[in-house]
């Protein structure tokens, strides 16, 4: 069995000290170009692979970042998770994953003073149970990037899309179809429901821009953005004397539940009721009918979050907090355009 190549082996072949090899491997600048080239050739010739664990321990790091999300069974988060893992792995980091179920105490534990810093070097965090005020009380020394709708307090970076603009675009698409009895499913008018509130705001603004008034009685709340809640909310709307002719659902899962109810009631989508969702999950693209949706650039959200987190980890002093907007686009499918 071949012996593992060590730092000392590389130093002997290159004719330098072990400290010099370590400086080259770790990218430190205090090495001449001539020496750097000699060491790199020795590394390649011997097939030396640095001991990442030992290096991280020497630097007081774990080599791991945490991704904390409310639900792993939600397709949006599972798809985002894959993108985060790819981006982190390409930069030499592993990803620890935790599901909070939206529990405030569980979420608070990850960002509290003296949190589990030996386990991870920083956190990419999508909170559900913590409102803006609670989120502000985090450990200022913890490298932190927040996803979703919680804006930064100046000590962490925030990555998300413009929910108001995206929701306005979704609603405008329904209005462009000539529909006027528009419903919205997913409102959450309480402190931790920022995402839903921004989407409701976009829904109202789209009506106002056309000189119309959104029907407040057709804005229906849901405790979660899932199929069951979408199906139940759609049933409630259909039992009204004046049911909607179009529905903006605050997630694709909600849209899939709404479509299930519509079809079970013998209604046609989109001929009788047009439906648009949000998130652009894979299930929506392959459902029958396929779901029109707002598509956030999940790959850019993940890559940006990882890059900003690693910048915070590597910076001796915390860099200024930034608000970053990822792009989104409207994808028109069968649930609003039909199968023609």
């Amino acid at each position: 069995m071949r012996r593992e190549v060590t730092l000392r082996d590389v130093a002997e072949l290159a004719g330098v000290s072990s400290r010099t090899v370590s400086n080259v491997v770790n990218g430190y600048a205090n090495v001449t170009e001539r020496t750097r080239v000699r060491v790199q050739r020795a590394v390649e010739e011997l097939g030396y692979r640095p001991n990442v664990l030992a290096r991280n321990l020497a630097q007081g790091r774990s080599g791991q970042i945490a991704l904390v999300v409310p639900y792993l069974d939600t397709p949006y988060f599972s798809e985002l998770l894959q993108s985060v893992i790819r981006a982190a792995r390409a930069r030499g980091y592993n990803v620890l994953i935790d599901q909070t179920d939206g529990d405030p105490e569980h979420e608070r534990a990850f960002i509290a003073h003296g949190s589990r810093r030996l386990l991870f070097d920083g956190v990419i965090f999508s909170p559900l149970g913590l409102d803006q005020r609670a989120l502000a009380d985090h450990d200022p020394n913890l490298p932190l990037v927040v996803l979703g709708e919680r804006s930064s307090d100046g000590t962490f970076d925030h990555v998300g899309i413009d929910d108001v603009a995206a929701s306005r675009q979704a609603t405008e698409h329904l209005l462009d179809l000539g529909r006027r009895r528009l419903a919205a499913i997913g409102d959450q008018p309480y402190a931790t429901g920022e995402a839903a509130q921004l989407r409701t705001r976009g829904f109202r603004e789209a009506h106002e821009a056309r000189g119309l008034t959104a029907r407040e009685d057709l804005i229906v709340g849901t405790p979660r953005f899932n199929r069951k809640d979408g199906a139940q909310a759609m049933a409630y709307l259909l039992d009204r004397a004046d049911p909607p002719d179009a529905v903006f659902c605050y997630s694709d899962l909600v849209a899939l539940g709404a479509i299930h109810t519509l079809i079970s009631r013998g209604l046609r989508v989109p001929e009788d009721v047009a439906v648009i969702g949000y998130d652009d999950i894979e299930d929506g693209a392959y459902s029958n009918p396929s779901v029109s949706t707002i598509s956030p650039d999940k790959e850019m959200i993940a890559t940006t979050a990882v890059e900003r987190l690693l910048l915070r980890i590597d910076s001796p002093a915390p860099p200024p907090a930034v608000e970053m907007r990822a792009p989104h686009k409207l994808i028109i499918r069968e649930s609003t355009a039909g199968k023609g």
Side-chain angles (χ1 to χ4, degrees):
M1 183 170 149
R2 184 181 175 185
R3 181 175 67 85
E4 183 177 352
V5 177
T6 66
L7 197 76
R8 182 174 296 178
D9 296 329
V10 176
E12 290 178 356
L13 181 59
V16 298
S17 68
S18 295
R19 167 70 68 180
T20 299
V21 175
S22 177
N23 287 342
V24 172
V25 168
N26 289 293
Y28 297 140
N30 58 337
V31 180
T32 66
E33 185 60 27
R34 185 174 181 181
T35 299
R36 186 181 305 278
V37 170
R38 192 161 72 246
V39 170
Q40 288 173 340
R41 285 176 179 168
V43 167
E44 293 173 4
E45 182 177 337
L46 295 174
Y48 173 68
R49 295 291 179 269
N51 187 325
V52 177
L53 178 59
R55 183 175 67 191
N56 287 333
L57 290 174
Q59 295 174 341
R61 296 180 183 173
S62 67
Q64 301 184 117
I65 61 175
L67 175 63
V68 182
V69 299
Y71 306 110
L72 291 173
D73 62 351
T74 300
Y76 173 80
F77 288 117
S78 62
E79 292 174 11
L80 182 67
L81 167 63
Q82 295 176 48
S83 297
V84 169
I85 290 174
R86 284 194 297 270
R89 185 176 294 157
R91 293 156 179 80
Y93 271 78
N94 294 318
V95 180
L96 296 175
I97 303 158
D98 196 275
Q99 172 176 297
T100 68
D101 295 313
D103 177 58
E105 293 308 314
H106 194 126
E107 292 186 349
R108 191 175 284 110
F110 269 91
I111 61 172
H113 294 258
S115 60
R116 314 167 196 186
R117 296 297 301 280
L118 293 177
L119 295 177
F120 48 77
D121 301 323
V123 180
I124 297 174
F125 185 36
S126 183
L128 180 62
L130 298 183
D131 60 19
Q132 191 70 44
R133 184 175 179 180
L135 187 59
D137 188 30
H138 70 278
D139 183 351
N141 297 313
L142 172 69
L144 178 65
V145 175
V146 173
L147 306 180
E149 291 67 40
R150 311 296 200 274
S151 57
S152 174
D153 66 350
T155 61
F156 58 83
D157 296 321
H158 173 241
V159 185
I161 70 169
D162 188 335
D163 270 288
V164 175
S167 301
R168 194 164 54 236
Q169 186 176 12
T171 307
E172 288 169 349
H173 172 56
L174 297 177
L175 292 171
D176 288 341
L177 297 174
R179 310 301 172 106
R180 289 298 179 266
R181 297 192 312 280
L182 271 61
I185 298 179
D187 191 37
Q188 296 172 348
Y190 39 82
T192 57
E194 286 99 329
Q197 292 165 31
L198 292 173
R199 292 170 199 182
T200 300
R201 177 180 157 193
F203 178 76
R204 292 184 176 123
E205 287 185 3
H207 283 80
E208 292 168 3
R210 303 286 180 96
L212 303 170
T213 301
R215 289 277 300 275
E216 296 297 320
D217 57 325
L218 296 183
I219 299 175
V220 182
T222 61
R224 282 188 60 182
F225 292 167
N226 60 26
R227 293 178 182 86
K228 178 181 178 181
D229 290 339
Q232 291 177 343
M234 192 71 249
Y236 164 79
L237 289 166
L238 292 178
D239 289 339
R240 295 175 52 88
D242 56 345
D245 59 5
V247 185
F248 169 37
C249 297
Y250 291 8
S251 82
D252 285 350
L253 288 182
V254 171
L256 290 170
I259 290 171
H260 174 80
T261 294
L262 287 165
I263 292 174
S264 70
R265 296 283 189 97
L267 295 169
R268 299 167 301 162
V269 179
E271 291 84 356
D272 298 318
V273 183
V275 178
I276 189 167
Y278 202 105
D279 287 340
D280 189 24
I281 64 172
E282 187 177 32
D283 286 358
Y286 293 96
S287 63
N288 186 20
S290 56
V291 179
S292 295
T293 189
I294 292 294
S295 177
D297 191 334
K298 292 188 277 285
E299 198 68 34
M300 179 175 285
I301 292 171
T303 300
T304 302
V306 170
E307 288 177 348
R308 289 299 305 182
L309 185 65
L310 297 190
L311 176 64
R312 287 189 167 274
I313 291 170
D314 292 335
S315 298
V322 294
E323 290 275 350
M324 289 158 288
R325 294 291 191 192
H328 67 270
K329 61 183 178 181
L330 171 67
I331 296 181
I332 300 173
R333 298 193 180 115
E334 294 168 350
S335 66
T336 61
K339 298 189 177 184

